[in-house]
């Protein structure tokens, strides 16, 4: 006796429809995933910057030694290019340059893409041995482009307190202490 077996399989039309739907879903999902990754990368950069600024102040208080945060040039002098590697060091003589024998506490890598920008209105963030910033105050800014800009500002007061900037105008970017949006890189 012969039994009839039924074989179940996709038809060509079903297979092509499935592939077309998969292509549409991937086409919509990949840009959203890329945007998510860019935003997470920017949030990680912001978190690291917050940590480094607060670490510089807490180190001045911990070691009772003036502490400087800045981008250093080849001669170990502070520059104004905040997109370069940032260095926190014990600045024993408060001359805002890294001298032989002064301890480097931490370094933050340079910005490696043109999609991010770090800014500060001076060449150093300097805290004296009691944690005061004195005249080395200002707004440290960070902005990264993705599908939409992601930014942060850290406002440093004379007494050394660091507070985040607020987005008072609701445009998605925080303002500096002077009320201007954080600077973003040109697209």
């Amino acid at each position: 006796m012969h039994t009839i077996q039924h074989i179940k399989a996709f038809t060509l039309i079903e297979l092509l429809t499935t592939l077309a739907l998969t292509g549409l879903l991937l086409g919509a999902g990949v840009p959203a995933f890329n945007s998510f990754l860019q935003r997470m990368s920017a949030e990680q950069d912001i978190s690291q910057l917050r940590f480094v600024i607060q670490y510089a102040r807490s180190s001045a208080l911990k070691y009772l030694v003036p502490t400087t945060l800045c981008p250093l040039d080849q001669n170990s002098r502070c520059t104004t290019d905040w997109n370069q590697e940032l260095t926190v060091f014990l600045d024993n003589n408060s001359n805002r340059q890294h001298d032989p024998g002064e301890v480097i506490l931490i370094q933050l890598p340079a910005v490696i893409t043109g999609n991010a920008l770090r800014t500060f209105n001076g060449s150093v963030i300097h805290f004296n041995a009691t944690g005061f910033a004195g005249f080395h105050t200002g707004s440290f800014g960070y902005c990264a482009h993705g599908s939409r800009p992601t930014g942060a500002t850290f406002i440093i007061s004379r007494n050394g307190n660091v507070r985040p900037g607020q987005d008072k105008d609701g445009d998605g970017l925080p303002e500096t202490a002077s009320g201007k949006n954080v600077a973003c890189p040109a697209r």
Side-chain angles (χ1 to χ4, degrees):
M1 213 167 177
H2 294 273
T3 59
I4 299 175
Q5 292 183 343
H6 294 282
I7 299 174
K8 299 207 177 215
F10 288 111
T11 65
L12 183 59
I13 292 176
E14 290 172 329
L15 180 63
L16 291 175
T17 302
T18 302
L19 289 174
L21 286 173
T22 302
L24 286 172
L25 290 174
L26 283 175
V30 169
F33 185 68
N34 283 340
S35 176
F36 171 77
L37 289 178
Q38 290 170 343
R39 185 160 184 80
M40 289 299 102
S41 177
E43 293 294 335
Q44 180 180 4
D45 290 347
I46 290 167
S47 178
Q48 288 175 340
L49 289 169
R50 180 183 303 118
F51 170 79
V52 165
I53 295 168
Q54 291 173 337
Y55 181 77
R57 181 171 190 252
S58 67
S59 294
L61 293 167
K62 177 180 179 181
Y63 298 112
L64 298 174
V65 173
T67 304
T68 298
L69 164 63
C70 70
L72 293 174
D73 65 12
Q74 295 81 8
N75 299 319
S76 294
R77 296 183 189 271
C78 293
T79 70
T80 57
D81 185 0
W82 290 89
N83 291 304
Q84 296 303 313
E85 179 179 71
L86 302 182
T87 304
V88 175
F89 59 94
L90 297 179
D91 194 2
N92 298 323
N93 57 6
S94 292
N95 67 350
R96 288 140 193 92
Q97 69 181 34
H98 180 250
D99 297 316
E102 291 181 331
V103 177
I104 292 177
L105 300 172
I106 194 169
Q107 293 178 308
L108 188 65
V111 173
I112 54 174
T113 67
N115 290 339
L117 179 66
R118 297 189 298 212
T119 56
F120 185 66
N121 53 320
S123 61
V124 298
I125 297 173
H126 181 80
F127 299 101
N128 70 16
T130 58
F132 283 84
F135 293 103
H136 304 286
T137 63
S139 297
F140 190 98
Y142 174 87
C143 185
H145 275 301
S147 59
R148 62 181 180 176
T150 302
T153 56
F154 303 103
I155 300 168
I156 303 162
S157 68
R158 284 187 176 196
N159 67 1
N161 289 330
V162 180
R163 67 178 171 86
Q166 302 296 316
D167 179 16
K168 293 180 182 175
D169 60 8
D171 66 354
L173 290 173
E175 287 86 31
T176 63
S178 62
K180 296 179 184 175
N181 274 353
V182 63
C184 289
R187 286 199 126 184

